[in-house]
Amino acid sequence: MGPKAIIHLDRLKSNYDLIKEKVNNLPIISVVKANGYGHGGVACAKALETHGCRFFAVFSIEEGIELRKAGIQSDILIFSRIDANSLPEAILHKLTLNLCHEADLPLLIKYAEENGGCPTVHLKVDTGMTRLGIDIHNTENIIHQLKEHPEVPCEGIYSHFATADEGDLSFAHAQESKFKSVIKIAENIGFTFKYIHFSNSGAVINLNQSVTNMVRVGMSLYGAFPSQEVPMDIPIQPVLEFKAPIVNIRKVPAGTPVSYGGVFTTESESTIGVIQCGFADGIPRPWYQNGHVMFKGKKYKIAGRICMDQFMVDFEGQEPHVGEEVLIMGDGSDGCVRMEEIARSINSTPYVISTGISGRTRRIYQD
Ligand SMILES: Cc1ncc(COP(=O)(O)O)c(C=O)c1O
C-alpha cells in the first residue's frame, strides 16, 4: 500500500533516440543525478547503457560510486566541486571529475606527483551561470598549465547555460560566444579536448550545436520539457506515472469541510476518498488549489490541503473501492495531467516536482 511510480523505461529509451536525432547523432551524456531526477538513477542508467549510452553524469562522488557498484561501465562525470579527500575513490571507481576552480589544478598536480596518477577531469568554464567554473579570464592560463602537466588527464571542456530554456535567447547566445572564444584560445595554445559539451535540454531544443561534440541532458530524457517557453516540437513522452491507492471512503453531506484549515467544503452530498500519498511522497502541496486526479478515465478534484502522507479526493457521485488507484500524473493522454502542467499551475518546475518523488514511493520499472 502506498504511492507507486511506474517508470516506463521504453519511453526513456525512445526519448534518448529522439534527442539523439535532434542533435544529429552527437553522443549524449545522460544526466542521472538526484536519483535520475526521481526516476531511479541506477535503473535509468542501466537501461540507457544497454541502449547504447556511453556517458553519464551525476552530482556527487557517492552517486557515481553507486552507479559503478550497480555495474555501469561507461564514463561517469561528477558535477560537484573536487574534494581533495575523494581523489582516491575517484581513481578507484574511474570517475571523471569537474575541474571548475583555479585552486584545484595545483591540488591535482600535487596529487599526481605524490601518487603517480590522478583522476581524469573535464575543465568547466563559467560563461554566465555564475556557479561552478573557471573564470573566463583565467582559462588561457589554466589551459597552458594543463598542457604543461599531462599527468593531469583533461579529456573535456564544458560550460552550463543559465537561460537556454527561455523565450529570449540573447543571454544564451552571449554565453555561446564566450565559450567559442575559449575553444579558440585552446586551439591557439595547441591543446585538444576530446570532449566539448555545453547543451542541456533547453539548448538541445533551442540552439544549434556548432562548437560542441556532445550534449548533456537530463529533463528531456525523462520526457518533460524544461520550461513552458521552449518549442515543444520533439514528441518526448513522460517516463513517469504517479499513482496511489484509495485507503478509505466516506459519504458526507453537503457543506462538509475536508482536511487542514477546512478550506475545502463539499458542494453537495459526496464521497470523500483518502489517498495514501502526501507531500512527503512527492505530490506537490500547492497542487491542491487547482489539482485533480484521474480515476477510471474521469477527473476528480483534490479536496482540501494535501497532508504529509495522505490527501483527499471528492469523488462526487462515484463509489470507488478501497484498494483502487488514482492516477496523479502521467503521459497527458485522456485528461491525465503531465508534470509540466502541474508545474505551470503551481508556479514551479518539472525539476522540482520530479526530484520530489521520494524514497517512500515504490518504483516499478516497465520496459
Ligand atoms: C551541469 C549540468 N549539466 C546538465 C544538466 C542537465 O540539464 P537538463 O536537465 O535541463 O537537461 C544539469 C541539470 O541541472 C546540470 O547541472
Side-chain angles (χ1 to χ4, degrees), residues 31 33 37 79 124 131 158-160 198-202 216-220 226 351:
V31 182
K33 61 182 176 157
Y37 290 40
F79 284 155
K124 185 171 199 183
R131 199 171 63 180
Y158 76 113
S159 189
H160 190 51
F198 200 169
S199 287
N200 54 4
S201 293
R216 211 175 57 242
V217 296
M219 190 42 89
S220 50
Y351 298 82

Side-chain angles (χ1 to χ4, degrees), residues 58-79:
V58 287
F59 186 73
S60 69
I61 287 267
E62 291 72 22
E63 289 175 311
I65 295 172
E66 188 189 13
L67 292 186
R68 282 284 179 253
K69 288 194 171 158
I72 296 296
Q73 307 273 320
S74 305
D75 285 11
I76 301 174
L77 173 63
I78 307 295
F79 284 155

Side-chain angles (χ1 to χ4, degrees), residues 29 69 149 157-158 166 185 215 252 262 318 324 327 339:
I29 303 177
K69 288 194 171 158
H149 291 280
I157 183 162
Y158 76 113
E166 292 185 6
I185 287 170
V215 296
V252 297
Q318 268 275 352
E324 289 183 313
L327 181 57
M339 197 183 286

Side-chain angles (χ1 to χ4, degrees), residues 132-154:
L132 298 182
I134 306 275
D135 193 283
I136 191 124
H137 306 296
N138 294 337
T139 46
E140 184 165 4
N141 172 24
I142 295 286
I143 295 170
H144 271 298
Q145 288 188 56
L146 285 170
K147 197 176 175 195
E148 281 164 27
H149 291 280
E151 68 276 21
V152 177
C154 184

